[in-house]
Amino acid sequence: MAGRRSGRARGSGRARARALKAARLGPRDVLHVGSAGLRSRPVRVVLSALGIAIGIATMIAVVGISASSQAQLLRQLDALGTNMLVAKPGEGMFSGQQVKLPEDAVGMVGRIEGVEKAGGTGDLARSVRRSEKIPEGETGGIAVKAATEGLLDVLRGTMGSGTWLNAANGRYPSVVLGHVAAERLGVDRPGRQVWIDDRYFTVVGILDPLPLAPEIERSALVGWTGAQRLLGFDGHPTAVYERSTDASVRQVQRLLAPTIDPQNPQNVSVGDPSSALKAKAATEGAFSTLLLGLGGIALLVGGVGVANTMIISVLERRHEIGLRRSLGATRGQIRLQFVTESLMLSGLGGLAGVALGAAATAVYASTGGLPWVVPPWAAAGGFAATLAIGTVAGLYPAVRASRQSPTLALAAV
């Protein structure tokens, strides 16, 4: 009888042991125990999160500044258009000397199917100076060009002040200055005079900047008829600008040289001014990749700092770990506590980094007159990266904490 009673007792004890299970931690409990270490050491939390924040802020700022610059370039391309081509004389195949375009090259280009507008300029071997008292060699890099009346429309340019060349003023000693040329000559408004060749020309207008035609910005433009009558211009254009429909750009590009010089089309060089802005936009993205890598290194350094902070936290909180283990906390719950703490620490740094990076981008954009652009994928990706770094950084300290013996942890205090 006694043996049967003892057997039943042992069986009921094993059943009760099997019935005992560790209490499960709800999401609220996980957040509470995970944030306990952060609440007790706020200064250390700030310093540890600062490393993560600097890394993320660097990455967000690099991507944001690059995206803002690209947005500005694309905005300029939309405003100026990508449907403008420029034809210039090339070098003769046998002579090696620069050839001349036909006098009626502008009119010939205007008759190509798909071309909406055409204009031209002709280089003049003349110098422009503020007055005749300035030495002839001190030109400041300003060229003198003859210009057709339709050139401004082709370039989609605007007048900063004054008027453009027309049939009335283009016959007389009048000149329109490019934006850079006006600055170098010290001319700030129409009505002033500049010295060209052997006489004064009256400034009738000053152009706004022309990103697609920097050579025009650095030029003094004289009317086509006035240049022939007053400056000995031979009437041969040295650059023909045209605007075509977007659908016919490639076709016009193929036809420009044969139209201008049917017998020797190889003597005509055709260029796309918008390609420079396109290349610049592409360069912005390539350069940002390098800086993005530097931001990633800073983020990894911040992750190492988080891991170091968590290891120190485990060493300092051995008594807490031993007490929780003796009260029934499982190893899994201890690991979850410290991984959660690491995630929260990294998450705080990530949020601060995203805010700092966005603010730095806003300051840069406002000072440079750029649109403020922070791609959503950059903010989301940066924050996700901090969580990944936090998880990896907290794994080893969490495993180390869970392996501590409750007896040894309590005895070490």
Side-chain angles (χ1 to χ4, degrees), residues 168-353:
N169 59 27
R171 297 176 54 85
Y172 301 100
S174 56
V175 63
V176 171
L177 298 179
H179 175 70
V180 176
E183 291 182 347
R184 292 179 180 176
L185 289 171
V187 177
D188 56 356
R189 64 180 183 275
R192 298 290 184 89
Q193 289 188 320
V194 294
W195 185 262
I196 300 178
D197 198 19
D198 59 352
R199 70 179 66 200
Y200 277 104
F201 279 64
T202 302
V203 177
V204 296
I206 299 175
L207 291 169
D208 282 327
L210 294 168
L212 288 186
E215 69 278 4
I216 302 298
E217 290 186 330
R218 295 165 175 80
S219 300
L221 305 172
V222 181
W224 201 265
T225 304
Q228 291 176 315
R229 189 169 65 89
L230 302 172
L231 299 175
F233 177 48
D234 61 5
H236 290 274
T238 51
V240 177
Y241 301 81
E242 66 81 27
R243 287 275 181 183
S244 54
T245 60
D246 292 332
S248 60
V249 172
R250 299 284 77 97
Q251 178 183 354
V252 172
Q253 189 172 21
R254 291 192 299 269
L255 295 176
L256 266 179
T259 301
I260 294 174
D261 193 345
Q263 295 181 345
N264 298 292
Q266 71 277 1
N267 291 341
V268 180
S269 172
V270 179
D272 178 6
S274 64
S275 60
L277 286 180
K278 294 176 185 176
K280 188 176 180 181
T283 303
E284 291 283 347
F287 183 67
S288 67
T289 302
L290 174 62
L291 297 180
L292 196 60
L294 297 177
I297 294 174
L299 181 60
L300 289 177
V301 172
V304 172
V306 170
N308 184 54
T309 299
M310 295 305 301
I311 291 175
I312 295 175
S313 179
V314 169
L315 295 175
E316 291 179 346
R317 296 162 63 187
R318 284 179 297 177
H319 176 66
E320 174 193 335
I321 296 169
L323 183 60
R324 288 199 62 212
R325 291 282 284 119
S326 64
L327 293 177
T330 64
R331 288 185 174 183
Q333 290 173 347
I334 297 297
R335 286 194 295 268
L336 181 61
Q337 172 187 349
F338 282 93
V339 170
T340 301
E341 183 174 332
S342 177
L343 278 172
M344 295 178 71
L345 179 59
S346 301
L348 289 173
L351 290 175

Side-chain angles (χ1 to χ4, degrees), residues 388-406:
I389 291 289
T391 302
V392 174
L395 283 177
Y396 173 71
V399 171
R400 180 170 179 172
S402 66
R403 289 179 177 176
Q404 291 194 24
S405 169

Side-chain angles (χ1 to χ4, degrees), residues 109-133:
V109 169
R111 290 190 289 271
I112 298 176
E113 183 179 358
V115 173
E116 297 178 327
K117 302 172 184 176
T121 61
D123 291 342
L124 299 171
R126 300 290 186 271
S127 64
V128 54
R129 291 163 285 165
R130 186 66 180 84
S131 70
E132 76 277 12
K133 297 180 181 180

Side-chain angles (χ1 to χ4, degrees), residues 43-206:
V43 176
R44 182 183 296 174
V45 168
V46 172
L47 295 177
S48 299
L50 185 61
I52 291 286
I54 292 174
I56 290 298
T58 302
M59 297 177 71
I60 296 296
V62 166
V63 174
I65 290 173
S66 176
S68 299
S69 299
Q70 287 181 325
Q72 176 69 4
L73 290 173
L74 293 176
R75 179 183 293 181
Q76 287 182 349
L77 282 172
D78 289 338
L80 300 172
T82 57
N83 57 345
M84 186 177 80
L85 299 173
V86 182
K88 295 182 179 181
E91 292 184 354
M93 181 179 298
F94 302 105
S95 65
Q97 297 179 350
Q98 192 175 56
V99 300
K100 289 186 176 182
L101 300 182
E103 293 185 33
D104 59 344
V106 175
M108 296 165 65
V109 169
R111 290 190 289 271
I112 298 176
E113 183 179 358
V115 173
E116 297 178 327
K117 302 172 184 176
T121 61
D123 291 342
L124 299 171
R126 300 290 186 271
S127 64
V128 54
R129 291 163 285 165
R130 186 66 180 84
S131 70
E132 76 277 12
K133 297 180 181 180
I134 297 175
E136 186 175 355
E138 297 182 8
T139 62
I142 304 172
V144 180
K145 297 177 181 288
T148 61
E149 296 178 19
L151 180 64
L152 188 64
D153 289 337
V154 177
L155 298 178
R156 291 185 182 174
T158 56
M159 301 300 301
S161 58
T163 60
W164 176 246
L165 300 168
N166 52 49
N169 59 27
R171 297 176 54 85
Y172 301 100
S174 56
V175 63
V176 171
L177 298 179
H179 175 70
V180 176
E183 291 182 347
R184 292 179 180 176
L185 289 171
V187 177
D188 56 356
R189 64 180 183 275
R192 298 290 184 89
Q193 289 188 320
V194 294
W195 185 262
I196 300 178
D197 198 19
D198 59 352
R199 70 179 66 200
Y200 277 104
F201 279 64
T202 302
V203 177
V204 296
I206 299 175

